[in-house]
Amino acid sequence: MNDLFSMAGERVLITGASSGLGHHFAKVLAGAGADVALASRRLDTLQELADDIRAEGRTAHCYAMDVLDAQGVEATVKAAIDDLDGLSVLINNAGVTETVGFVQQSKESWDRIIDTNLNGAWAVARAVAEHMSTAGQGGNIVNIASVMSFRVAGHLAAYCASKGALLQLTRSMGLELARYGIRVNALAPGYIATPFNENYFATGAGQKIIARIPQRRLGQVGDLDGAILLLASKASAYMTSTVVHVDGGHLQSSL
Ligand SMILES: NC(=O)c1ccc[n+]([C@@H]2O[C@H](COP(=O)([O-])OP(=O)(O)OC[C@H]3O[C@@H](n4cnc5c(N)ncnc54)[C@H](OP(=O)(O)O)[C@@H]3O)[C@@H](O)[C@H]2O)c1
């Protein structure tokens, strides 16, 4: 049964691997047997992670990539394909947020969030899907969505818009790419403790949100292990265009 979730032989590109969820996903997937390509803007952090993964006997390559740089995305995907001799899985995880009122938000702030979480995710997925469809061996793309793909919260309009659109992108890609044997699904975490949100959950407002999660606690990165292994492995062979929620029940919190 354990073989069902094995990542042995899989060649996985993980964006946003320098921190938080992406950093953890890289360790989990390499631990299950994958060889990995790690991409984000901060190369030094990626190199430390790659050293840890290599020490466990897996292959790991690092790339300084900014998803806002279209040419850089294309070059990174190409380099990862060359270095790993192809890509079979993409964990499309890089993302940013900012807590700011709708009226107060500047265009620069709005653009940074939409460009990173939606346009950047699209650019990486498009380049990877082009390779997978041309190579003709199928593939698997996991977009990291959010509870905010489904619900909204104050002062997060750009983030909610970006993650709602990423979910629709996931569904559209899954529909269109199935003919190439490429599966596309989303993982929608609730609030998971990472550098992304640590300042917010230390505030009174953050504590109030935790009190509204049915399980009454923040998620930890390890709470996503089962879901990322399910979606990244062949255990989800008949799943595409869908979403897995891991949120302590938050999506169903009482109105
Ligand atoms: N934590 C949560 O509660 C939660 C819940 C639901 C969904 N998510 C989603 O999970 C993903 C990871 O979030 P996290 O909590 O792990 O946040 P995090 O710790 O801040 O990590 C974000 C990652 O994205 C990378 N990144 C940001 N902008 C980038 C850019 N322009 N180009 C390339 N990489 C970029 C960062 O790397 P560099 O700075 O090195 O570039 C970093 O590795 C995001 O998509 C987020 O929306 C998080």
Side-chain angles (χ1 to χ4, degrees), residues 15-22 39-43 65-68 92-96 116-117 144-147 159 163 188-197 201:
T15 70
S18 61
S19 174
L21 306 191
S40 75
R41 294 166 300 182
R42 284 171 289 169
L43 195 55
M65 179 187 78
D66 186 337
V67 298
L68 304 181
N92 208 6
N93 164 79
V96 291
T116 306
N117 297 0
I144 305 304
S146 168
V147 69
Y159 185 77
K163 292 294 181 178
Y191 290 117
I192 310 294
T194 69
F196 196 77
N197 53 34
F201 285 114

Side-chain angles (χ1 to χ4, degrees), residues 4-7 140 183 228-237:
L4 192 60
F5 297 92
S6 171
M7 294 297 293
N140 183 6
R183 300 187 294 112
I228 197 69
L229 278 170
L230 168 68
L231 291 176
S233 72
K234 294 190 170 53
S236 54

Side-chain angles (χ1 to χ4, degrees), residues 159-177:
Y159 185 77
C160 294
S162 71
K163 292 294 181 178
L166 183 62
L167 183 67
Q168 284 293 67
L169 180 64
T170 301
R171 292 168 171 149
S172 302
M173 288 170 60
L175 177 69
E176 196 173 324
L177 298 176

Side-chain angles (χ1 to χ4, degrees), residues 26-131:
K27 289 202 283 192
V28 170
L29 298 174
D35 291 329
V36 294
L38 311 171
S40 75
R41 294 166 300 182
R42 284 171 289 169
L43 195 55
D44 51 345
T45 319
L46 294 181
Q47 276 161 347
E48 282 173 29
L49 174 60
D51 287 344
D52 291 346
I53 289 172
R54 289 184 198 117
E56 299 293 323
R58 303 295 348 142
T59 297
H61 297 277
C62 305
Y63 311 91
M65 179 187 78
D66 186 337
V67 298
L68 304 181
D69 169 11
Q71 286 182 339
V73 167
E74 296 278 338
T76 299
V77 169
K78 183 175 183 319
I81 290 164
D82 289 347
D83 290 339
L84 289 180
D85 196 22
L87 284 175
S88 58
V89 180
L90 166 65
I91 308 296
N92 208 6
N93 164 79
V96 291
T97 192
E98 186 181 339
T99 305
V100 57
F102 176 73
V103 171
Q104 289 74 28
Q105 186 163 34
S106 65
K107 178 156 183 354
E108 288 70 26
S109 163
W110 170 271
D111 285 346
R112 185 179 72 93
I113 294 167
I114 300 291
D115 284 345
T116 306
N117 297 0
L118 179 60
N119 298 337
W122 168 82
V124 178
R126 198 217 63 79
V128 170
E130 181 178 42
H131 156 70

